[in-house]
Amino acid sequence: GFALVNRHNRARELGVGKTTNRGEIVGPWLGNVMLIDDSDTDRLQCERLLAKSGIAMRLFRYEEAREALRDLIATPRGRQRPNLVLLDLHMPAMDGFEFLAAAAEALGESVADLNVIMMTTDIVARDQARAAHFPAVRMVLDKPLSRADFERAAAFATGSTH
């Protein structure tokens, strides 16, 4: 299909993943994925799905958004920032929206390149509308995420969909 061809081409451009003779991607086709979630259960579930899907080369896990923000800001120029950020919406200390606002302030316009997927157990219209104000947010998904959710998120991050 169309997405498969785009994924194949994008994976080849990024130099990640291997392809079968039918053009299917085997193995990772995203570079770095940042997972930010205060729930041990949700983090573990995301880690397992990411491992099974084979879409990520490297996973950076964070229980606290402040720690993730510190690492994101400290990424030296020229080093690859995450291709995809899986961000829990509701967390103590710093929630997903506070993380995005602080990242935008620190990174400027380049924050829009982060490909953020916000995750929550209770999607409400107010949160959807608020998320739409952040250019980095590609979608807001209900937890727990499925393998199909990860594949859609990865397609956004690699430019295979719009």
Side-chain angles (χ1 to χ4, degrees), residues 89-90 120-124 127 142-143:
L89 179 56
H90 301 290
T120 183
T121 53
D122 55 345
I123 294 179
V124 294
D127 289 339
D142 232 349
K143 289 199 275 184

Side-chain angles (χ1 to χ4, degrees), residues 83-95:
N83 301 83
L84 180 66
V85 177
L86 300 167
L87 177 62
D88 186 16
L89 179 56
H90 301 290
M91 294 180 286
M94 175 183 266
D95 70 20

Side-chain angles (χ1 to χ4, degrees), residues 10 14 30-34 80-85 113-116 157-158:
R10 184 66 174 157
L14 294 172
L30 277 179
N32 300 328
V33 174
M34 181 179 269
Q80 185 181 12
R81 287 208 172 111
N83 301 83
L84 180 66
V85 177
D113 298 331
L114 286 182
N115 297 305
V116 175
T158 59

Side-chain angles (χ1 to χ4, degrees), residues 7 29-30 33-35 42-56 59 84-86 117 119 139 141 144-158:
R7 268 192 251 160
W29 50 283
L30 277 179
V33 174
M34 181 179 269
L35 171 61
D42 289 335
R43 261 193 337 275
L44 182 60
Q45 190 259 350
C46 282
E47 289 172 27
R48 285 181 178 156
L49 279 173
L50 279 167
K52 283 182 182 179
S53 70
I55 64 169
L59 175 64
L84 180 66
V85 177
L86 300 167
I117 306 301
M119 309 174 297
M139 58 182 127
L141 297 174
L145 301 186
S146 67
R147 184 173 176 162
D149 288 332
F150 281 109
E151 289 171 356
R152 276 191 333 166
F156 271 98
T158 59

Side-chain angles (χ1 to χ4, degrees), residues 1-2 22 24 70 74 77 80 88 111 115 137 150:
F2 181 71
R22 293 187 349 219
E24 297 168 320
R70 196 171 42 247
R77 279 196 187 278
Q80 185 181 12
D88 186 16
V111 75
N115 297 305
V137 176
F150 281 109

